[in-house]
């Protein structure tokens, strides 16, 4: 029986004043998208209308989500509106799931015009949580400022949107689905694809899977513990680390995507990944990692819960790129970091005689550098690291980077980090977030602070902290000039740089969920003292002595009372004699 073409409707609407995208697209409380009539439809229409009509007609787009609450409903609306607006083909992950790195990978693989990612990153899910819409452009990376401004301008004057409300798709059925639409010459096509396969193929071409497999499943098996935090990365972790690379199935936990992420924020840090930290502190696992909801952020832990600072992580990767087949084949062109990230990467770049680019916060600023061949590896302080294999930060890629380095160096996480500090020096870092602030109060605070640090007399100030005095070298409101196209990004954060290169940074965040303003304060200070190889060896010997002594059954009770490690070493030496 022949079916009638699906009608295309035009629905009248009114603009919303709060649909300017932030650092990570449009992010609001889920109740805003779910409860405000046409709020979702308005933004999707603004996004589609921001594209040139000639580019949009018949093009291919990618759609995926991190599995949070409201994603399935939103995907259905996106499909109906994409069809009505002339999109020719949508490629969607199985059950609507695709990680952010996965979307970037697929966009580049199939040469799509862009992709829509439904995620609020590491923010809570569920009906009372957050929801977000990101648009990645044709290079696979986040929208640049010009694209976000076009979307915002369309949203301010929008009066109608186009939709095919009778169009229904089955997200659970892999394969192609075609639909005939009224007044359309070609059928509209939806392809439901395996969420992991294209991304897995890319990783196979980057890493030495045999080496990693020998590490995870060989005779001297490294026991790992990876927490997918009930987000989209569960299927990826199971398929890649367990099925492909041979890690035991119980190496991966929280691998079933849940709409509320199990009731905790899917943020890979020491607070929200506490169960991982506790498991690692037991000493049974040599490597631990947590991945956020959409898979672009990560946290690395070593045995006994040894924490790897994200700024150190990207610097250690940079110093060990020769361990990775991809970089041996393609070479290393340069590095980049956000201005709120420590200068650990700068020291590696200097040692390797490579360029280092300092950008504003936001992954979109790395895209031009990578597209122009200036940058091979980049990172941010907020647990994000990536390379030019895609145009997004990539959590599971970072995990495989660490496993590759460990396999190559035959060392544990802590030893690798400490040897890096010994060679390059150490940076210390902490961040304080002040959320839910009154926007006007936050604005005036930042304005008044800028006035203080802009005063010429401020650069002669000295501040004493304990027995150390910090002298101000310069202070400014960070401004970035893109070396590729010359575009200028102003007012990116207030910096106070001290004579020893330590810094204080004050920045208004652009990724909140619409619940007031957020001010982040970054404290980044340096201790560039390096250690000789013998000093490092002695430190490792002492740590081994302490651990051995504390686990010796005859002396365990006696040693647990020793709080001083030096005394513990002496007691052990006396006992062994």
């Amino acid at each position: 029986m022949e079916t009638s073409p699906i009608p295309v409707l035009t629905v009248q609407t009114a603009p919303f004043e709060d649909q300017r995208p932030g650092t990570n697209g449009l992010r609001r409380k889920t109740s805003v998208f779910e409860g405000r009539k046409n709020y979702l439809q308005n933004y999707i229409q603004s996004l589609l209308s921001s594209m040139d009509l000639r580019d949009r007609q018949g093009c291919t787009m990618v759609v995926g989500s991190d599995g949070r609450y409201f994603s399935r409903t939103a995907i259905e609306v996106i499909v109906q509106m994409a069809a009505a607006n002339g999109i020719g083909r949508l490629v969607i992950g199985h059950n609507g799931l695709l990680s952010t790195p996965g979307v970037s990978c697929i966009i580049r693989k199939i040469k799509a015009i862009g992709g829509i990612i439904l995620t609020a990153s590491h923010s809570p899910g569920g009906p009372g949580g957050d929801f977000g819409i990101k648009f990645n452009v044709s290079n696979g990376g986040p929208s640049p400022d010009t694209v976000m401004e076009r979307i915002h301008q369309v949203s301010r004057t929008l009066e109608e949107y186009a939709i095919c409300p009778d169009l229904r798709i089955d997200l659970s059925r892999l394969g192609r689905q075609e639909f005939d639409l009224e007044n359309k010459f070609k059928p509209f096509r939806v392809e439901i694809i395996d969420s992991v396969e294209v991304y897995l193929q890319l990783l196979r071409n980057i890493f030495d899977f045999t080496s990693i497999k020998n590490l995870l499943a060989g005779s001297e098996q490294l026991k790992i513990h990876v927490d997918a935090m009930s987000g989209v990365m569960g299927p990826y972790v199971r398929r890649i680390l367990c099925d492909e690379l041979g890690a035991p199935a119980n190496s991966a936990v929280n691998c079933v995507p849940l709409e509320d992420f199990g009731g905790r924020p899917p943020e890979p840090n020491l607070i929200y990944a506490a169960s991982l930290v506790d498991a690692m502190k037991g000493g049974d696992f040599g490597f631990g990692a947590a991945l956020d909801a959409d898979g672009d952020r990560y946290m690395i832990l070593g045995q006994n819960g040894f924490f790897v600072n994200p700024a150190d992580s990207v610097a250690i990767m940079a110093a060990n790129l020769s361990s990775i087949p991809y970089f041996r084949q393609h070479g290393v062109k340069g590095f980049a970091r956000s201005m709120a990230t420590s200068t650990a990467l700068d020291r590696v770049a200097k040692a390797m005689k490579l360029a280092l680019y300092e950008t504003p916060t936001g992954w979109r600023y790395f895209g031009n550098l990578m597209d122009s061949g200036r940058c091979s590896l980049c990172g941010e302080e907020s647990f994000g690291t990536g390379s030019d294999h895609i145009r997004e930060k990539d959590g599971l890629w970072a995990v495989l980077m660490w496993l590759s380095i460990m396999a190559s160096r035959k060392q544990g996480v802590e030893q690798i980090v400490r040897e890096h500090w010994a060679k390059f020096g150490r940076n210390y870092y902490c961040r304080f977030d002040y959320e839910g602030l009154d926007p006007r109060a936050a604005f005036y605070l930042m304005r008044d602070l800028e006035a203080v640090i802009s005063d010429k007399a401020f650069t002669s100030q000295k501040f004493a902290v304990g027995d150390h005095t910090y002298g101000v070298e310069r202070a400014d409101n960070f401004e970035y000039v893109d070396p590729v196209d010359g575009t200028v990004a102003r007012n990116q954060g207030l910096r106070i740089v001290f004579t020893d290169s330590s810094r204080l940074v004050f920045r208004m965040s652009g990724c909140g969920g619409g619940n007031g303003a957020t001010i982040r304060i970054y404290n980044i200070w340096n201790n560039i003292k390096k250690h000789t190889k013998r000093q490092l060896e002695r430190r490792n010997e002492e740590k081994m002595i302490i651990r051995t002594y504390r686990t010796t059954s005859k002396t365990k009770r006696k040693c647990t009372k020793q709080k001083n490690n030096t005394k513990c070493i002496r007691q052990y030496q006396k006992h062994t004699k």
Side-chain angles (χ1 to χ4, degrees):
M1 181 177 176
E2 200 170 306
T3 58
S4 301
I6 298 172
V8 178
L9 303 183
T10 300
V11 180
Q12 300 301 305
T13 189
F16 294 93
E17 291 298 319
D18 64 342
Q19 292 197 334
R20 176 188 288 277
T23 303
N24 291 303
L26 184 68
R27 190 179 297 180
R28 297 286 182 267
K29 300 301 292 183
T30 307
S31 57
V32 173
F33 283 99
E34 192 174 29
R36 297 176 70 176
K37 184 180 179 181
N38 294 340
Y39 195 85
L40 171 65
Q41 289 85 345
N42 271 33
Y43 190 72
I44 297 302
Q45 185 63 61
S46 300
L47 190 159
L48 295 171
S49 296
S50 70
M51 304 178 200
D52 188 288
L53 183 61
R54 292 167 296 183
D55 295 332
R56 193 172 76 216
Q57 294 299 316
C59 74
T60 297
M61 289 184 67
V62 180
V63 178
S65 80
D66 61 12
R68 69 181 57 232
Y69 176 79
F70 193 62
S71 292
R72 282 180 170 267
T73 299
I75 289 173
E76 184 173 87
V77 170
I78 289 167
V79 171
Q80 294 169 346
M81 294 186 67
N85 280 273
I87 304 297
R89 176 174 68 141
L90 288 184
V91 175
I92 306 175
H94 189 214
N95 292 317
L97 298 174
L98 278 177
S99 71
T100 290
V103 170
S104 181
C105 171
I106 294 167
I107 290 172
R108 295 171 64 80
K109 175 75 174 179
I110 67 175
K111 295 179 169 55
I113 195 173
I116 296 174
I117 311 171
L118 304 177
T119 178
S121 190
H122 53 279
S123 297
D130 292 351
F131 191 80
I133 304 172
K134 284 179 58 177
F135 178 60
N136 281 27
V137 292
S138 59
N139 74 345
S143 298
D145 291 341
T146 51
V147 172
M148 292 196 294
E149 183 59 27
R150 283 203 303 269
I151 295 172
H152 178 233
Q153 290 304 323
V154 173
S155 76
R156 295 179 62 192
T157 58
L158 193 71
E159 295 180 347
E160 61 184 29
Y161 63 84
I163 191 168
C164 298
D166 296 335
L167 194 157
R168 297 286 185 272
I169 61 166
D170 183 357
L171 292 174
S172 65
R173 179 164 62 89
L174 291 171
R176 179 184 300 181
Q177 303 171 42
E178 291 191 346
F179 306 89
D180 289 322
L181 310 179
E182 281 184 350
N183 304 320
K184 304 290 181 182
F185 296 109
K186 294 182 179 179
F188 172 67
R189 192 167 73 199
V190 174
E191 293 179 23
I192 309 298
I193 64 168
D194 183 293
S195 301
V196 181
E197 184 59 34
V198 177
Y199 177 73
L200 171 57
Q201 290 175 9
L202 176 64
L203 294 183
R204 286 195 187 109
N205 293 327
I206 295 173
F207 298 102
D208 181 348
F209 269 32
T210 301
S211 174
I212 301 174
K213 190 168 185 176
N214 288 337
L215 180 72
L216 299 181
S219 57
E220 297 182 5
Q221 179 192 56
L222 173 71
K223 293 183 68 176
I224 67 172
H225 194 68
V226 179
D227 188 349
M229 303 195 81
S230 303
V232 73
M233 292 309 295
Y236 292 81
V237 169
R238 288 279 190 209
R239 177 87 166 273
I240 296 171
L241 287 178
C242 300
D243 298 346
E244 188 79 14
L245 294 172
N250 61 3
S251 300
V253 298
N254 298 315
C255 287
V256 177
L258 301 175
E259 290 190 334
D260 66 348
F261 310 116
R264 62 172 174 168
E267 185 169 1
N269 61 30
L270 297 171
I271 297 173
Y272 296 119
S275 59
L276 171 68
V277 175
D278 291 340
M280 293 302 298
K281 282 181 178 178
D284 294 333
F285 302 101
F287 177 87
L291 301 161
D292 78 338
D294 63 321
D296 61 354
R297 300 172 194 258
Y298 70 102
M299 178 177 70
I300 300 296
L301 296 175
Q303 194 168 23
N304 302 307
F306 183 86
F307 170 68
V308 182
N309 182 296
D312 283 338
S313 181
V314 66
I316 290 165
M317 290 180 196
N320 290 276
L321 291 181
S322 60
S323 304
I324 313 302
Y326 175 86
F327 293 103
R328 291 201 298 268
Q329 179 181 351
H330 295 279
V332 183
K333 298 136 190 170
F335 303 133
R337 62 164 177 82
S338 65
M339 68 94 170
T341 303
S342 86
T343 56
L345 183 61
D346 305 41
R347 296 200 186 117
V348 178
K350 184 178 180 180
M352 296 176 68
K353 298 180 180 179
L354 293 171
L356 186 285
Y357 299 92
E358 184 178 33
T359 72
T361 296
W363 206 260
R364 62 190 183 277
Y365 293 105
F366 296 131
N368 266 4
L369 297 173
M370 291 187 282
D371 288 345
S372 64
R374 286 171 164 83
C375 176
S376 298
L377 180 76
C378 44
E380 292 186 327
E381 52 77 29
S382 55
F383 294 88
T385 307
S387 83
D388 57 359
H389 68 292
I390 55 173
R391 295 298 181 266
E392 276 284 3
K393 44 187 177 284
D394 191 343
L396 189 50
W397 169 90
V399 168
L400 295 186
M401 284 287 289
W402 267 95
L403 292 174
S404 297
I405 293 167
M406 293 172 72
S408 174
R409 294 180 54 158
K410 296 179 172 52
Q411 293 176 320
V413 171
E414 183 174 354
Q415 187 177 358
I416 291 170
V417 174
R418 291 196 180 280
E419 288 192 5
H420 182 88
W421 290 341
K423 183 176 181 179
F424 294 100
R426 183 177 181 180
N427 295 79
Y428 296 85
Y429 165 89
C430 60
R431 187 180 95 182
F432 303 91
D433 294 347
Y434 297 86
E435 300 173 327
L437 304 176
D438 177 78
R440 285 175 59 84
F443 169 80
Y444 286 121
L445 185 154
M446 294 293 288
R447 186 197 65 177
D448 294 347
L449 179 59
E450 183 174 6
V452 170
I453 69 171
S454 299
D455 191 301
K456 290 182 179 179
F458 187 76
T459 53
S460 62
Q461 294 282 338
K462 292 184 178 181
F463 301 91
V465 180
D467 59 355
H468 190 91
T469 299
Y470 292 88
V472 178
E473 182 177 273
R474 70 181 188 277
D476 60 16
N477 191 337
F478 183 64
E479 180 177 294
Y480 177 67
V481 180
D482 191 303
V484 180
D485 59 20
T487 55
V488 180
R490 296 184 172 87
N491 302 314
Q492 294 300 310
L494 305 179
R495 299 186 302 174
I496 302 171
V497 183
F498 299 99
T499 52
D500 68 344
S501 297
S502 296
R503 287 173 292 152
L504 281 173
V505 176
F506 300 80
R507 191 177 70 85
M508 289 270 284
S509 174
C511 62
N515 299 308
T518 297
I519 292 179
R520 305 195 196 281
I521 301 176
Y522 307 82
N523 194 346
I524 308 157
W525 65 101
N526 301 331
N527 175 10
I528 60 174
K529 178 182 178 183
K530 301 176 185 179
H531 302 283
T532 67
K533 186 176 182 180
R534 179 56 195 149
Q535 285 174 323
L536 191 69
E537 288 173 351
R538 181 171 176 78
R539 177 181 293 176
N540 290 336
E541 288 169 3
E542 289 177 352
K543 290 183 69 176
M544 188 179 298
I545 288 170
I546 293 164
R547 286 176 186 164
T548 304
Y549 185 53
R550 285 179 173 167
T551 55
T552 301
S553 58
K554 293 181 179 179
T555 59
K556 187 173 182 181
R557 183 177 178 184
K558 187 175 181 180
C559 189
T560 53
K561 296 178 181 179
Q562 289 288 355
K563 296 182 180 179
N564 186 294
N565 284 342
T566 303
K567 290 181 180 179
C568 190
I569 292 167
R570 289 172 183 165
Q571 291 242 11
Y572 175 79
Q573 291 169 336
K574 181 179 178 181
H575 172 76
T576 53
K577 286 178 183 177

